[in-house]
């Protein structure tokens, strides 16, 4: 299923323009949400592969250093290994919990890469004003993305 790879970069460039929280800089991260959903539906390995491909596409479109989004998405996708259980397969709460855990991980890795590049980073303000609101938006986005991906997939989970 190759369509998610082409949709992620387009959505990501769009999401930077239309921000639901105009003063916070937050917007839903479809790359992260889709990667987490894919990792929960299939396997951590496939989620990491989609995180890498989508992250490279996102970095190419947004101009961030190549590999920043990939590193963050792949690391955050490793949390999907927590939910690789048949008990959680049809439960919508579990993907929301995993994306709630993965959003700060993703954001902090991006902040760390910026700091390693020598840019000034305000960790507290970024966490409160960007990562916190983005967490709420990612949970809301997961409510839509997970059931849609589950319905579109033909493999049993």
């Amino acid at each position: 299923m190759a369509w998610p790879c082409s949709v992620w970069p387009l959505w990501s460039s769009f999401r930077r323009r239309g921000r639901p929280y105009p003063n916070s800089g937050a917007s839903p991260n479809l790359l992260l949400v889709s990667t987490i959903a894919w990792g929960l539906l299939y396997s951590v390995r496939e989620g990491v592969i989609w995180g890498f491909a989508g992250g490279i596409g996102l970095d190419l479109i947004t101009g961030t250093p190549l590999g920043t989004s990939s590193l963050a998405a792949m690391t955050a996708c490793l949390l999907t290994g927590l939910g690789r259980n048949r008990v959680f397969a049809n439960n919508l709460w579990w993907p929301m919990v995993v994306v709630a855990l993965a959003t700060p991980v993703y954001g902090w890795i991006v902040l760390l890469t910026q700091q390693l590049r020598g840019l000034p980073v305000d960790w507290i303000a970024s966490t409160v004003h960007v990562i916190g609101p983005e967490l709420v938006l990612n949970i809301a986005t997961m409510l839509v993305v997970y059931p849609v991906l589950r319905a579109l997939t033909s493999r049993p989970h």
Side-chain angles (χ1 to χ4, degrees), residues 8 35 44-54 74 77:
W8 283 329
T35 301
V44 176
R45 181 176 177 260
E46 287 191 30
V48 168
I49 290 169
W50 281 112
F52 174 76
M74 291 185 321
C77 188

Side-chain angles (χ1 to χ4, degrees), residues 31-118:
L31 168 66
L32 178 64
V33 172
S34 300
T35 301
I36 296 296
W38 198 266
L40 287 170
L41 287 170
Y42 288 115
S43 68
V44 176
R45 181 176 177 260
E46 287 191 30
V48 168
I49 290 169
W50 281 112
F52 174 76
I56 292 293
L58 179 61
D59 290 340
L60 288 172
I61 288 175
T62 61
T64 56
L66 199 61
T68 300
S69 298
S70 292
L71 176 65
M74 291 185 321
T75 305
C77 188
L78 295 176
L79 294 172
T80 62
L82 299 172
R84 298 299 307 159
N85 188 338
R86 298 271 182 212
V87 174
F88 299 119
N90 293 320
N91 189 345
L92 188 57
W93 287 102
W94 187 244
M96 293 182 345
V97 168
V98 174
V99 84
L101 294 172
T103 299
V105 169
Y106 182 95
W108 291 331
I109 289 173
V110 170
L111 290 175
L112 179 64
T113 60
Q114 288 179 348
Q115 190 170 28
L116 290 174
R117 289 180 33 228

